[in-house]
Amino acid sequence: MRLNSASSLVLLLKLSHLAIVAALADGEEFTFNGFSAANLSLDGMAAVAPGGLLMLTNGSTVMKGHASYPTPLRFHCSRDGRSAAVMSFSTAFVFAIVGQYADVSSQGMAFFISPSKNLPTALPGHFLGLVNAGDNGNASNHLFIVELDTVLNGEFQDIDDNHVGVDINSLTSIEAATAGYYDDEDMGLFRNLSLISRKAMQVWIDYDGLTMELNVTMAPVEITKPKKPLISTIVNLSAVVTEPAYVGFSSSTGIIFSHHYVLGWSFKMNGTAPPLNISILPALPLMISKRRSQVLVIVLPIVSLVLVLASAAMAIAVAKQRAKFAELREDWEVPFGPHRFSYKDLFYATEGFKESRLLGMGGFGKVYMGMLPKSKMMVAVKRISHESRQGMKEFVAEVVSLGRLRHRNVVQLLGYCRRKGELLLVYDYMPMGSLDKYLYDQDKPTLEWVQRFQIIKGIASGLLYLHEDWEKVVIHRDIKATTYCSMLR
Ligand SMILES: *[C@@H]1O[C@H](CO)[C@@H](O)[C@H](O)[C@H]1NC(C)=O
Ligand SMILES: *[C@@H]1O[C@H](CO)[C@@H](O)[C@H](O)[C@H]1NC(C)=O
Ligand SMILES: *[C@@H]1O[C@H](CO)[C@@H](O)[C@H](O)[C@H]1NC(C)=O
Ligand SMILES: *[C@@H]1O[C@H](CO)[C@@H](O)[C@H](O)[C@H]1NC(C)=O
Ligand SMILES: *[C@@H]1O[C@H](CO)[C@@H](O)[C@H](O)[C@H]1NC(C)=O
Ligand SMILES: *[C@@H]1O[C@H](CO)[C@@H](O)[C@H](O)[C@H]1NC(C)=O
């Protein structure tokens, strides 16, 4: 029993294969004025509406759709396949592209001849459901395409965002022209057409197998075929079109969707495509005449406003950051450059002059502990507020000259920084802290008399250096246990 059903399946497959071969011979000419009765092969988003309108794409984004004549056609004259030249063929179709927005371009559509009817590896978006990034241009595609391209794509060297192109295996056209027609009524004057105009237009594709001449002509649906084609080029399709091959339409959507419609289609092998009867073609759906969606109308200004506000906020933040680290620098300070610290460095060194970094209150201001960001050197930063700029030059000169003081019992002054209303002095950091802690803190061990005597001698030696031994006389008038510490290093 099992064996029987298996062999009958084989028989069935053979029969269906015969059916396809039989259909090939019949497939030399067809005409569809609307697709209600047409048994097209559809995939992806493609569907035939009850009125007979072929919709290649519905309202989805980033999708593809194909509609093909269900049986492949024999394009080559001889029975042994590609060795023979491609026969003449001719096709005509009426299409309309109805984008999401009347004035914003979405992806276009194409007529194709291909070895496959659903191009499974092709991608949507700008690949138009015909190729993908890897196989675009590969001769093994065996693709002949007439594209109705609504997007200017640099990747495919598009001429504009509204063109008709003849493509072989690749979306880079071998020949392209801005959509339009040569008006026979007006001495062949060129009139452009907008592919995304939502209006029905007719396209004729005629190939002469002998001369290898390919003509692509288009016109508004109510106008008869213009004498002068939009594109006329010579192309040898022998190695391109396989035997047999499918004919059909492909379209895709990107982020902005479109409806791609085909209203009628005729095809003839080795002859001229039968004319379509325009009066009986299905009607396009009534358009909701929304120009741009409310979403765009509302969202776009909000987005722009947010962007403007964001950039303003950023500008303010940058300005604030600048103000935060702003310093006062004058020409006379240039020679003192090496002794100057940047406020930013001191700010980061002290974690923004954090309370926890406070070492004590000096005679003129607060002293903070910090670690310089680059050198990782520990410093003490004294912040002195001063309002007047009077005497500042002299004061800074003094500070810098004091910076040259070197004595083991005198805290080294490393440099300064100046801001509006404030002067910062940077000293060596004394890790043991100040003397007063050892004198008054209960926790610390009581200092021995020997130690105390050493400290007093140290202070005296430091003072002597300042008063007499250094090149300038420096009078220290503020000796306190709270500021004296170097002895305890
Ligand atoms: C073209 O496609 C064929 C079959 O997919 C593949 O073997 C070949 O490597 C491709 N050629 C190039 C240049 O990508
Ligand atoms: C034709 O081109 C002209 C000039 O480039 C333009 O103003 C007009 O809108 C175009 N017409 C259509 C139908 O695209
Ligand atoms: C292409 O158009 C030209 C000019 O109208 C015409 O002479 C030629 O026969 C056409 N070729 C085909 C294949 O239709
Ligand atoms: C057309 O292409 C086929 C296959 O590449 C080649 O054999 C033939 O000679 C070409 N015809 C002409 C006229 O160049
Ligand atoms: C194509 O048509 C011409 C004339 O109509 C005829 O002579 C020729 O045999 C046809 N070719 C094929 C392959 O049917
Ligand atoms: C188009 O179809 C209508 C209605 O069926 C018919 O009356 C008319 O003759 C047809 N026109 C052509 C050119 O076939």
Side-chain angles (χ1 to χ4, degrees), residues 56 93 95-97 107-111 128 130 146-150 249-252 260-262:
L56 291 170
F93 60 91
F95 77 97
I97 299 175
Q107 300 299 333
M109 55 182 282
F111 168 82
L128 295 178
L130 293 164
V146 173
E147 60 171 34
L148 304 168
D149 196 345
T150 55
F249 301 95
S250 176
S251 79
S252 73
H260 299 93
Y261 297 113
V262 182

Side-chain angles (χ1 to χ4, degrees), residues 82-85 210 212 236-240:
R82 279 177 224 161
S83 57
L210 274 179
M212 298 187 298
N236 184 352
L237 291 181
S238 295
V240 177

Side-chain angles (χ1 to χ4, degrees), residues 129-146:
L130 293 164
V131 292
N132 61 49
D135 72 4
N136 184 47
N138 191 323
S140 66
N141 287 346
H142 293 290
L143 264 175
F144 167 77
I145 301 161
V146 173

Side-chain angles (χ1 to χ4, degrees), residues 162 179 191-195 197:
N162 181 50
R191 295 190 188 281
N192 54 352
L193 292 169
S194 165
L195 295 173
S197 61

Side-chain angles (χ1 to χ4, degrees), residues 40-352:
L40 297 183
S41 285
L42 305 174
D43 78 75
M45 288 185 287
V48 174
L53 188 65
L54 170 60
M55 307 187 297
L56 291 170
T57 52
N58 55 27
S60 314
T61 54
V62 202
M63 292 286 276
K64 53 181 183 166
H66 301 110
S68 317
Y69 190 69
T71 51
L73 309 180
R74 289 183 167 276
F75 278 88
H76 295 260
C77 307
S78 97
R79 289 248 153 207
D80 65 342
R82 279 177 224 161
S83 57
V86 164
M87 260 191 283
S88 299
F89 65 87
S90 159
T91 188
F93 60 91
V94 174
F95 77 97
I97 299 175
V98 179
Q100 188 176 1
Y101 312 118
D103 48 355
V104 179
S105 232
S106 44
Q107 300 299 333
M109 55 182 282
F111 168 82
F112 69 80
I113 303 176
S114 150
S116 146
K117 60 176 140 184
N118 56 0
L119 298 144
T121 58
L123 290 176
H126 65 289
F127 294 109
L128 295 178
L130 293 164
V131 292
N132 61 49
D135 72 4
N136 184 47
N138 191 323
S140 66
N141 287 346
H142 293 290
L143 264 175
F144 167 77
I145 301 161
V146 173
E147 60 171 34
L148 304 168
D149 196 345
T150 55
V151 175
L152 175 65
N153 200 317
E155 190 183 340
F156 306 134
Q157 286 129 53
D158 283 347
I159 55 164
D160 60 22
D161 62 356
N162 181 50
H163 62 273
V164 179
V166 175
D167 306 349
I168 304 293
N169 297 323
S170 159
L171 288 186
T172 303
S173 304
I174 57 164
E175 196 76 43
T178 298
Y181 68 106
Y182 296 94
D183 193 351
D184 293 332
E185 301 286 297
D186 203 353
M187 299 187 305
L189 188 82
F190 182 76
R191 295 190 188 281
N192 54 352
L193 292 169
S194 165
L195 295 173
I196 60 160
S197 61
R198 301 178 164 187
K199 296 199 177 96
M201 287 170 267
Q202 188 162 192
V203 173
W204 296 266
I205 300 165
D206 302 288
Y207 183 68
D208 185 325
L210 274 179
T211 60
M212 298 187 298
E213 185 177 40
L214 176 83
N215 287 356
V216 181
T217 315
M218 75 182 297
V221 72
E222 65 279 2
I223 290 182
T224 53
K225 186 180 180 182
K227 286 196 190 78
K228 186 177 175 188
L230 177 64
I231 294 173
S232 187
T233 186
I234 305 292
V235 50
N236 184 352
L237 291 181
S238 295
V240 177
V241 174
T242 55
E243 180 80 335
Y246 290 92
V247 289
F249 301 95
S250 176
S251 79
S252 73
T253 56
I255 294 156
I256 297 173
F257 66 80
S258 290
H259 295 271
H260 299 93
Y261 297 113
V262 182
L263 292 76
W265 181 23
S266 71
F267 187 96
K268 188 171 173 67
M269 196 67 83
N270 196 27
T272 304
L276 296 170
N277 189 339
I278 303 304
S279 63
I280 58 169
L281 294 181
L284 283 171
L286 281 175
M287 295 317 152
I288 318 120
S289 66
K290 68 175 180 190
R291 299 241 132 231
R292 251 164 229 258
S293 81
Q294 288 306 308
V295 176
L296 268 197
V297 169
I298 296 162
V299 169
L300 219 62
I302 292 175
V303 168
S304 344
L305 190 72
V306 166
L307 278 179
V308 166
L309 288 180
S311 40
M314 232 155 89
I316 290 170
V318 167
K320 266 195 174 164
Q321 187 81 353
R322 284 225 179 112
K324 189 173 162 188
F325 298 127
E327 293 173 22
L328 217 58
R329 277 176 200 264
E330 285 174 271
D331 288 347
W332 55 261
E333 282 176 90
V334 173
F336 308 140
H339 302 276
R340 187 148 182 158
F341 285 82
S342 86
Y343 182 71
K344 200 172 172 179
D345 280 355
L346 299 182
F347 185 89
Y348 285 124
T350 57
E351 290 184 280

Side-chain angles (χ1 to χ4, degrees), residues 361-364 435-436 459 476 478-485:
M361 307 279 281
F364 294 98
L435 179 61
D436 61 328
I459 295 170
H476 197 312
D478 191 28
I479 298 166
K480 299 181 302 222
T482 48
T483 52
Y484 185 83
C485 39

